[in-house]
Amino acid sequence: AADNWADLEARVGRLLIPDRTIKRHMNHYYDELIEVAEQPAHAAAWNDFDDEDAVDAIPRWNVVAHIVLPSLSRASILGQRGSMRARATRLAVALRLFAKQHEGMPPSRLDELLPGLPAEDLIDPYSGEPFRYDRRGSAWRFYGIGENYIDDGGKGGAEPEELDHVVRFPPPAVESFEPVADESASE
């Protein structure tokens, strides 16, 4: 009977050790991710966090960690992107309200929006510096450096990780949409 208990204990141990190892790999990865995510985007250096290297360090047999862990860093990046969009939206609304209260003229500097807007909303989360702002008459533009951490001079990209995050008023003109004639219908 003692041999049966020892055999059972050995089998249970073999089952639990991989679970502990999986948990250890996930905790290590998650701890690194938390360390980067707790910092402001401009200090976090997401460019230094190599998701692929971190996942490659996990043994191939740990399939659960290989599947789950990359989505954690993606969630943090999306959180930073959401923070940028929220600040930009609040800043754009504050600019529009200011202009409405001042005969259509926006402020000459963003700090004129204080104290009606929290000071942190004037800061680009990716650079840690104030948003770049310029105005021409009643038109205005501000931008933050965006996810590539490079000041591209206020040039926006098609994707959030490209170029700068630009907000302007009035918005740029949209090209007219002309439907393409269906060639098969004319035959």
Side-chain angles (χ1 to χ4, degrees):
D3 289 337
N4 290 339
W5 283 112
D7 187 40
L8 179 61
E9 184 178 358
R11 288 177 188 233
V12 169
R14 281 193 297 268
L15 290 174
L16 291 179
I17 288 173
D19 287 346
R20 289 183 195 146
T21 305
I22 289 170
K23 186 176 180 180
R24 184 172 38 92
H25 290 144
M26 293 181 83
N27 284 340
H28 176 72
Y29 181 91
Y30 194 63
D31 289 344
E32 286 183 26
L33 185 63
I34 287 173
E35 185 177 313
V36 174
E38 285 179 340
Q39 301 173 26
H42 60 88
W46 280 104
N47 297 339
D48 295 340
F49 183 77
D50 193 341
D51 195 36
E52 290 179 21
D53 284 348
V55 172
D56 287 345
I58 298 168
R60 287 194 174 286
W61 61 262
N62 193 342
V63 177
V64 172
H66 274 277
I67 292 170
V68 172
L69 295 179
S71 64
L72 296 176
S73 60
R74 177 86 174 133
S76 294
I77 291 169
L78 291 174
Q80 288 293 341
R81 191 178 294 167
S83 175
M84 168 61 108
R85 288 180 177 162
R87 283 187 187 186
T89 300
R90 288 189 300 267
L91 183 53
V93 168
L95 285 164
R96 296 286 308 272
L97 287 172
F98 185 97
K100 190 164 186 84
Q101 295 168 348
H102 294 88
E103 299 175 11
M105 295 304 293
S108 56
R109 295 180 332 273
L110 288 179
D111 61 1
E112 291 178 42
L113 299 172
L114 300 173
L117 188 68
E120 75 175 18
D121 283 349
L122 302 180
I123 304 298
D124 170 9
Y126 287 104
S127 70
E129 299 174 2
F131 282 103
R132 283 99 171 137
Y133 172 75
D134 63 307
R135 130 189 155 172
R136 293 189 180 117
S138 62
W140 50 262
R141 171 187 79 149
F142 71 87
Y143 70 93
I145 63 169
E147 293 178 36
N148 68 358
Y149 296 94
I150 298 170
D151 186 345
D152 295 301
K155 296 177 189 159
E159 297 295 323
E161 66 274 2
E162 296 175 355
L163 305 174
D164 297 330
H165 184 88
V166 182
V167 179
R168 58 176 50 98
F169 183 82
V174 177
E175 294 181 28
S176 63
F177 174 74
E178 296 295 325
V180 179
D182 187 9
E183 293 177 17
S184 62
S186 62
E187 293 177 6

